Amino acid sequence: MEFKVNSKELEKLLSKIIPAVPTRTPMKILENFLFDIKDGLLTVYATDLEISLKSFLSVISDDNVKFVIQAHHLYNLVKSLKDTTINFLLQESNKKIILTTDTGKYSLSYLEAEDFPEIPSLNDSKEQDINEISINGEELRSAIERTAFAMSKEEIRPALLGTLFEFSDDGLRFVTTDGHRLVNLLRKNIEAPVKKQYVVPERAVNVLTKILDEKEVKVYFTNTYVSFRLSDIELISRLISHKYPEYQSVIPLENEYLLKINTKELNESIKRMMLFSTSNTRRVKFSLNKEYITISAEDVDTGSAGEEKVSCEYSGEPMDIGFNSQYMNDILSHLSDYEEVLFKLHSPTKAVIIEPAEKKENIELMMLLMPVRINT
């Protein structure tokens, strides 16, 4: 059996699929692509059992066939070729695939398709509860990139190891938290099919940002899986089954003191103070006054210290409050496209709400950061 395909078209397809191929796994079969040719359409699959990617491409072929081929070996070969036609010839007698171009001939081994894990298909799902939405790819990417940094890395709380997709009457809400900081972003222009929560794992979220473009994305949720379908590629992922914590309960309601400050100026000052904060606590102190904020840090191990003043507008009583400088830097970096940010505070021991000072259409964005104890 043989088929023909353009090298650059195949390279483009494989580059989208290869993020699902694990680099280290005890299941060697997962280090392969599954090729499925049916009626002149080549569909390529890859999976690490948590996420699966599949994409398709028209090829010249008179036969239908399935086979498994080493992913990185094939991808690196195809990527190294110039724009040319590749002819694939399967030799069943010795389980070899012969690839030929105008100037070269290459031989790779292949395995039977039966050895490859079954890829879940939501089209064949027996679950009755399938919820579907459409969302612009750039809007989805922006929401994920704005929130993903606050996902937890600690497996002790599995529900926090992903991004919460929460459907409500207000729209689609994206929430992440690691217990120290929280990001809550609402897209009001997304109509919710049903009020429900789904937790998408970090791995799926990270891969999704690499394949999204400006085109519309169809998203399908079942009780156990989510599918993101782009024009020529589909990402399927298991959902995290653990219930997401009641994040609304940690958002303070009594933060009456307001601090408005230039985002870039504050973030640049924080980055400099990170050079002086003690490595184990990364603590930085904010001393708040009506017209300026004093930002300071001290490393007692090295005897170094830094202090800067940044202009601001502050409506509350003078206050000293401490933060983890790395967490603060993360938050401000993800608000860098806003000229000013607004801090809502209550006391040195209560969570602080951080929001953009200016609003964008159809978006509500709120970040929360827990303070750290400072030396008095």
Side-chain angles (χ1 to χ4, degrees):
M1 184 273 171
E2 60 183 311
F3 64 94
K4 295 180 180 179
V5 62
N6 177 267
S7 62
K8 293 305 174 185
E9 291 181 358
L10 182 59
E11 177 189 346
K12 183 179 179 182
L13 182 152
L14 298 182
S15 68
K16 296 177 180 178
I17 298 300
I18 205 162
V21 178
T23 53
R24 292 183 180 180
T25 173
M27 295 182 61
K28 291 299 182 181
I29 192 68
L30 300 181
E31 297 176 358
N32 295 270
F33 292 128
L34 171 62
F35 274 44
D36 183 359
I37 299 175
K38 186 176 182 179
D39 301 330
L41 186 69
L42 166 63
T43 305
V44 183
Y45 302 83
T47 183
D48 62 4
L49 300 183
E50 180 182 342
I51 69 166
S52 303
L53 286 169
K54 68 177 183 179
S55 188
F56 52 86
L57 176 68
S58 296
V59 298
I60 301 172
S61 174
D62 295 328
D63 301 304
N64 298 336
V65 68
K66 285 185 178 182
F67 61 90
V68 172
I69 187 168
Q70 213 287 326
H72 284 281
H73 200 166
L74 176 64
Y75 177 59
N76 290 333
L77 172 60
V78 172
K79 188 168 61 171
S80 70
L81 296 174
K82 63 181 181 180
D83 191 348
T84 185
T85 298
I86 308 174
N87 186 79
F88 285 72
L89 174 64
L90 274 70
Q91 297 180 340
E92 295 187 18
S93 59
N94 59 0
K95 300 297 182 185
K96 295 288 186 182
I97 297 180
I98 309 301
L99 291 74
T100 56
T101 67
D102 292 338
T103 58
K105 181 177 180 180
Y106 318 94
S107 174
L108 298 174
S109 298
Y110 75 91
L111 301 172
E112 296 296 335
E114 289 75 17
D115 299 328
F116 200 79
E118 183 179 356
I119 304 295
S121 173
L122 271 65
N123 290 335
D124 304 327
S125 175
K126 294 181 174 57
E127 297 186 57
Q128 299 298 314
D129 189 12
I130 299 180
N131 298 312
E132 173 188 347
I133 62 165
S134 294
I135 184 172
N136 176 271
E138 286 297 336
E139 290 182 2
L140 180 56
R141 186 208 300 274
S142 176
I144 290 174
E145 290 180 343
R146 189 85 72 177
T147 56
F149 73 94
M151 285 187 288
S152 177
K153 304 295 189 293
E154 298 179 2
E155 296 186 3
I156 192 171
R157 301 185 70 182
L160 303 186
L161 297 172
T163 296
L164 174 67
F165 285 60
E166 181 181 54
F167 294 95
S168 68
D169 292 335
D170 298 325
L172 174 57
R173 194 178 298 275
F174 302 80
V175 181
T176 58
T177 182
D178 60 6
H180 303 284
R181 53 200 171 165
L182 180 146
V183 186
N184 183 341
L185 186 150
L186 174 67
R187 295 283 332 189
K188 297 180 179 179
N189 59 330
I190 306 298
E191 291 190 12
V194 64
K195 294 180 182 178
K196 200 158 184 178
Q197 293 185 342
Y198 304 93
V199 186
V200 181
E202 179 184 20
R203 174 125 168 79
V205 167
N206 290 340
V207 171
L208 183 62
T209 59
K210 299 175 182 176
I211 62 175
L212 287 171
D213 53 27
E214 73 283 354
K215 298 176 184 175
E216 201 77 3
V217 182
K218 292 280 189 181
V219 188
Y220 301 86
F221 290 94
T222 73
N223 291 328
T224 52
Y225 287 97
V226 60
S227 165
F228 298 91
R229 297 182 189 173
L230 288 68
S231 57
D232 61 349
I233 189 171
E234 180 179 5
L235 167 63
I236 303 168
S237 172
R238 288 184 179 274
L239 294 169
I240 294 176
S241 59
H242 298 265
K243 181 176 174 56
Y244 209 78
E246 296 294 333
Y247 67 89
Q248 296 281 9
S249 64
V250 304
I251 300 175
L253 302 176
E254 71 278 12
N255 287 20
E256 70 277 25
Y257 298 152
L258 302 182
L259 165 70
K260 183 190 287 187
I261 193 165
N262 182 276
T263 311
K264 183 179 179 181
E265 290 181 4
L266 177 59
N267 200 19
E268 288 178 347
S269 181
I270 290 292
K271 288 178 179 178
R272 286 188 289 271
M273 290 304 103
M274 289 173 70
L275 302 175
F276 298 95
S277 58
T278 304
S279 58
N280 61 337
T281 65
R282 299 182 180 274
R283 183 173 49 238
V284 62
K285 183 170 76 171
F286 283 19
S287 298
L288 306 177
N289 288 285
K290 296 291 185 183
E291 298 179 355
Y292 64 87
I293 175 175
T294 302
I295 305 166
S296 59
E298 180 182 9
D299 189 339
V300 295
D301 295 330
T302 64
S304 59
E307 179 180 297
E308 293 187 9
K309 291 183 179 180
V310 181
S311 298
C312 69
E313 298 176 23
Y314 177 56
S315 65
E317 296 297 323
M319 181 191 306
D320 289 344
I321 185 169
F323 297 105
N324 179 303
S325 59
Q326 183 61 61
Y327 291 165
M328 181 62 75
N329 177 61
D330 287 343
I331 286 177
L332 294 174
S333 296
H334 287 84
L335 293 171
S336 60
D337 55 330
Y338 292 93
E339 183 178 355
E340 292 181 314
V341 288
L342 188 66
F343 285 66
K344 298 179 179 179
L345 309 99
H346 177 69
S347 72
T349 58
K350 298 293 184 181
V352 174
I353 293 174
I354 306 172
E355 299 175 340
E358 64 267 27
K359 306 300 180 183
K360 291 186 178 180
E361 186 179 7
N362 291 321
I363 296 178
E364 285 185 7
L365 176 60
M366 184 219 72
M367 301 190 181
L368 180 147
L369 182 60
M370 295 299 298
V372 298
R373 186 182 301 274
I374 56 176
N375 297 326
T376 56

